[in-house]
Amino acid sequence: MEMSRVDTSDLLSFDGFETMTALWADRCTRYGDRVAHREKELGIWQAYSWRDYYESARKIGRALMSFGVQKGEPVLILSEDRREWLYIDLAAASIGAIPAGVYTTDSAGQLAYLAKDSGARVLFVENDEQLDKFLQARGEMPGIEKVVVLDPDGLAGFSDPQVMFLEDVYAMGEAEERRAPGLFEEAMATIRPEDPRMLIYTSGTTGPPKGAVITHRNMIFQLKAGHQLLDFRADDNLLCFLPLCHVLERLVSVEAPIANGCTVNFAESPETVFDNLQEVSPDSFAGVPRIWEKIYSRVMILRSEAGPVGAWAFDRALAIGARHAAAEAPGAGLRLAHWVADVTVLSNLRRMLGLGKARRVTSGAAPISPELIHWFAALGVPLIEGYGMTETAGVATVNTVDDNRIGTVGPPLPGVELRIDENGELLVGGPCVFGGYWNKPEKTAETMTGDGWLRTGDIGRIGNDGALTITGRLKDIIITAGGKNITPAEIESKLKFSPYISDAVVIGDRRKYLTCLIMIDQENVEKFAQDRQIPFSDFASLTQAQEVRELIGGVVAETNKAFAQVEQIKDFRLIDILLTAEDEELTPTMKLKRNFVNQRHSALIDEMY
């Protein structure tokens, strides 16, 4: 099936601008002393203006020019989210260089691989911990000539001819601007829509990471096509917490705020995101399924602690919320009941979660359970799901608050074309399709069809209403010993709806039946064990407790009821290692890597057969 061809000529400029850097320079001038960014220093939120944004980026840009950084040359940024990440990003992009993020969870060896693959000569690192990675593997990245440290804490007295601090870079850039003013703006004027805006390294679930080139045209298209659908406003407060190396966070925390004038608040760390969410109470918020699953889990813990009356009030309010959300035209009685439920329970809960002002929250990067979207709707939080990948420059399809087709990832953005190949693979066309892999023409050729369609590797179907449903990954299809094709994503999503399960990998390729490796939710399962006085000493012993296995067994049995017999899980094992983003088994967006899990836990898998 193929969507019809669309005229995209009006989708390639935003407010008359065809490059992100020209749009950014205009916004910095227009907004001046208005707040662009907020971040915490010593526990207090500090504000930084659009003027700070431009002047800081110009200083860094002029310093990069003095280092000899050329147009088309990558610049690496190894840091958690902070305003300086954006300053460096726009500094590099404005002189025609290509900013490329490195995950802070990457090892020294992975950093060396990215340095060699990109050919970067300048590396920005956040602090002494990230600097250590460079120092440890310096011999493996001879191309790096200059390393700039953002945070000097812990490096008093440190000296290295290759290393300097951000403050020195600012001073150098300022001196360069005084010596020869206007060169930053001259460089910016040479940038064309087809030039690279950023280099995004894929998470490398099937081999070493590949650098995807995202052009200015790709990002301008995203802003224009998504403008009405995603409804960002100039007075919006946003919370930036996903890694800025990820294309989704770059779109919602850098490009969209530039276009719309929003204020970006930086989470202190991945660990404090729920506290920061409460403090900021953003107007819109984009997350991955793990975040929404965790919020659901927290609320269910609160419900279990509320006592019989509190639990009854919660259940009653949520049931009314669900009926109200499902009704096309709620009657007067239901509207009154919902008003009471909202005033007494639901609005307080939304406020407590930091979602009291949210007009829209979005989930992407991995499948999410439709039941979870319905649950948030009952709560009064419009959670919409979209679909995209690095190679589609962020978003390819998305639902909207007014037309949320739960169970689908929505219709394509205006100008995006979809096609389902004869083997069920989804192909995507249009101005969202990336500019190819950095220095890997053979990999680009594998990913693109001869007539310019992107092979996504996902299996999907397009409904009569144009909405896309993703059923799984082509490479994840399980063909059982009986010849039955099964896509595991739907089974896994249903399992993860349980507050006791954080992730699951269904096994069964060339096997007689399906089994599953399950990662339990530490916080919720620990509480379950403590409430029942089940003894455990650490995470491994928690997974071995008979009562915990029975608890998860109950979830598996309940999940099986929704599937045909051949799709049911016959046995399962609990992964007894607590995984974090530093572990190779998890992607930076906290998804289990199927291949790694299958290899590392092959003994557990063999036990089940």
Side-chain angles (χ1 to χ4, degrees):
M1 180 173 181
E2 183 173 339
M3 301 296 290
S4 59
R5 290 267 165 191
V6 183
D7 177 22
T8 59
S9 57
D10 67 332
L11 293 168
L12 300 180
S13 72
F14 191 96
D15 274 6
F17 297 98
E18 294 185 334
T19 67
M20 283 305 308
T21 43
L23 179 63
W24 166 74
D26 171 78
R27 294 311 196 246
C28 290
T29 302
R30 181 188 298 190
Y31 297 133
D33 291 323
R34 262 184 48 192
V35 175
H37 304 126
R38 293 171 73 240
E39 65 183 22
K40 270 190 164 181
E41 288 174 29
L42 303 175
I44 297 167
W45 287 99
Q46 304 287 348
Y48 301 88
S49 71
W50 287 88
R51 194 183 312 282
D52 295 328
Y53 200 174
Y54 189 83
E55 290 177 356
S56 300
R58 180 166 59 186
K59 288 174 194 172
I60 295 168
R62 289 304 309 271
L64 288 173
M65 293 167 86
S66 74
F67 294 154
V69 172
Q70 299 296 309
K71 186 173 183 178
E73 179 182 324
V75 170
L76 295 181
I77 309 169
L78 170 55
S79 170
E80 296 283 7
D81 298 352
R82 51 192 290 165
R83 73 184 194 283
E84 291 91 349
W85 211 114
L86 275 60
Y87 296 170
I88 300 160
D89 180 40
L90 270 300
S94 295
I95 64 166
I98 315 169
V102 183
Y103 288 104
T104 54
T105 51
D106 279 1
S107 65
Q110 288 167 318
L111 170 62
Y113 170 83
L114 296 183
K116 279 186 289 191
D117 187 77
S118 66
R121 290 185 295 148
V122 179
L123 164 67
F124 288 83
V125 298
E126 183 173 22
N127 51 26
D128 55 348
E129 179 190 350
Q130 303 302 342
L131 176 62
D132 281 343
K133 293 176 185 176
F134 166 74
L135 297 174
Q136 185 183 329
R138 184 188 337 223
E140 297 170 48
M141 38 184 145
I144 295 291
E145 297 170 8
K146 190 68 67 180
V147 180
V148 180
V149 184
L150 310 189
D151 184 350
D153 287 357
L155 291 167
F158 174 84
S159 178
D160 186 293
Q162 272 183 279
V163 180
M164 62 190 298
F165 295 101
L166 184 61
E167 285 306 315
D168 302 323
V169 167
Y170 282 145
M172 177 187 289
E174 206 165 0
E176 284 293 306
E177 181 64 18
R178 280 197 305 271
R179 183 184 64 77
L183 295 185
F184 182 73
E185 289 75 14
E186 284 178 25
M188 199 189 302
T190 69
I191 294 164
R192 298 289 169 260
E194 61 276 9
D195 288 341
R197 157 68 181 98
M198 60 185 76
L199 193 58
I200 300 279
Y201 275 92
T202 61
S203 53
T205 51
T206 53
K210 301 184 291 289
V213 175
I214 310 295
T215 66
H216 286 267
R217 177 173 285 136
N218 289 150
M219 279 303 179
I220 289 287
F221 167 76
Q222 286 282 343
L223 297 179
K224 186 67 181 282
H227 190 53
Q228 277 86 33
L229 299 178
L230 294 175
D231 183 32
F232 287 97
R233 302 176 190 173
D235 56 356
D236 279 355
N237 263 295
L238 311 178
L239 180 67
C240 174
F241 85 99
L242 286 174
L244 283 162
C245 308
H246 196 277
V247 71
L248 178 63
E249 194 64 37
R250 205 71 151 274
L251 182 60
V252 298
S253 287
V254 186
E255 316 297 88
I258 286 171
N260 300 284
C262 320
T263 300
V264 176
N265 299 267
F266 294 96
E268 294 165 270
S269 74
E271 290 73 40
T272 65
V273 65
F274 293 110
D275 295 332
N276 297 149
L277 192 57
Q278 287 177 310
E279 292 170 320
V280 172
S281 194
D283 297 276
S284 73
F285 182 65
V288 293
R290 189 72 199 106
I291 287 290
W292 308 116
E293 291 156 5
K294 200 73 183 162
I295 289 174
Y296 168 74
S297 296
R298 285 183 162 216
V299 171
M300 297 318 283
I301 282 185
L302 287 172
R303 180 204 172 279
S304 70
E305 292 172 344
V309 174
W312 175 86
F314 171 81
D315 291 345
R316 175 94 180 128
L318 207 64
I320 292 167
R323 279 180 23 231
H324 188 266
E328 281 189 24
L334 180 54
R335 288 202 306 274
L336 177 61
H338 183 256
W339 180 82
V340 172
D342 199 62
V343 167
T344 55
V345 177
L346 301 178
S347 63
N348 293 327
L349 198 49
R350 291 195 302 273
R351 253 195 315 277
M352 187 195 72
L353 295 171
L355 297 171
K357 295 179 186 170
R359 292 191 313 277
R360 175 197 78 252
V361 298
T362 314
S363 183
I368 190 170
S369 160
E371 290 93 336
L372 198 56
I373 299 177
H374 283 296
W375 184 86
F376 274 98
L379 205 61
V381 176
L383 172 58
I384 61 171
E385 189 176 11
Y387 166 80
M389 53 199 297
T390 305
E391 292 83 350
T392 63
V395 181
T397 76
V398 71
N399 280 300
T400 63
V401 172
D402 296 331
D403 184 16
N404 195 3
R405 307 172 202 186
I406 297 174
T408 80
V409 289
L413 294 182
V416 171
E417 303 161 70
L418 306 178
R419 191 171 94 196
I420 304 296
D421 217 347
E422 60 277 356
N423 63 356
E425 182 180 11
L426 170 69
L427 307 184
V428 176
C432 67
V433 175
F434 77 139
Y437 293 117
W438 180 253
N439 288 341
K440 288 184 172 56
E442 71 293 344
K443 291 292 183 188
T444 304
E446 285 172 21
T447 305
M448 304 296 295
T449 66
D451 53 351
W453 292 81
L454 171 73
R455 298 185 185 280
T456 64
D458 288 311
I459 308 162
R461 60 177 183 270
I462 303 167
N464 293 332
D465 59 355
L468 174 67
T469 301
I470 297 291
T471 53
R473 291 287 289 163
L474 198 58
K475 64 181 175 60
D476 292 344
I477 285 182
I478 292 170
I479 304 173
T480 65
K484 177 72 177 172
N485 282 22
I486 295 168
T487 50
E490 194 181 349
I491 305 167
E492 291 162 356
S493 285
K494 207 156 188 69
L495 285 167
K496 289 193 292 177
F497 183 60
S498 164
Y500 299 116
I501 294 178
S502 72
D503 215 336
V505 171
V506 173
I507 316 288
D509 199 39
R510 315 289 170 191
R511 311 268 195 172
K512 292 178 185 175
Y513 51 84
L514 299 188
T515 59
C516 192
L517 290 175
I518 290 173
M519 191 159 76
I520 60 172
D521 183 287
Q522 182 191 18
E523 188 180 359
N524 289 353
V525 176
E526 276 185 359
K527 185 175 188 318
F528 169 86
Q530 287 160 354
D531 288 349
R532 288 156 185 78
Q533 297 183 326
I534 299 164
F536 67 94
S537 56
D538 56 16
F539 186 78
S541 65
L542 181 66
T543 65
Q544 287 153 14
Q546 184 60 32
E547 296 91 338
V548 169
R549 290 174 183 241
E550 287 169 4
L551 169 73
I552 302 302
V555 175
V556 170
E558 193 58 36
T559 300
N560 278 340
K561 290 177 185 176
F563 295 95
Q565 191 165 359
V566 72
E567 298 171 310
Q568 291 180 2
I569 295 162
K570 300 294 189 284
D571 202 356
F572 69 92
R573 292 290 183 275
L574 304 183
I575 295 174
D576 62 1
I577 304 160
L578 186 59
L579 300 174
T580 68
E582 279 82 7
D583 289 290
E584 284 192 298
E585 282 162 273
L586 284 183
T587 70
T589 50
M590 304 303 285
K591 293 181 287 190
L592 276 172
K593 293 181 185 175
R594 198 174 298 275
N595 291 351
F596 268 103
V597 169
N598 287 353
Q599 289 163 17
R600 186 166 178 182
H601 302 288
S602 57
L604 280 182
I605 294 169
D606 290 342
E607 265 181 34
M608 296 187 281
Y609 293 96

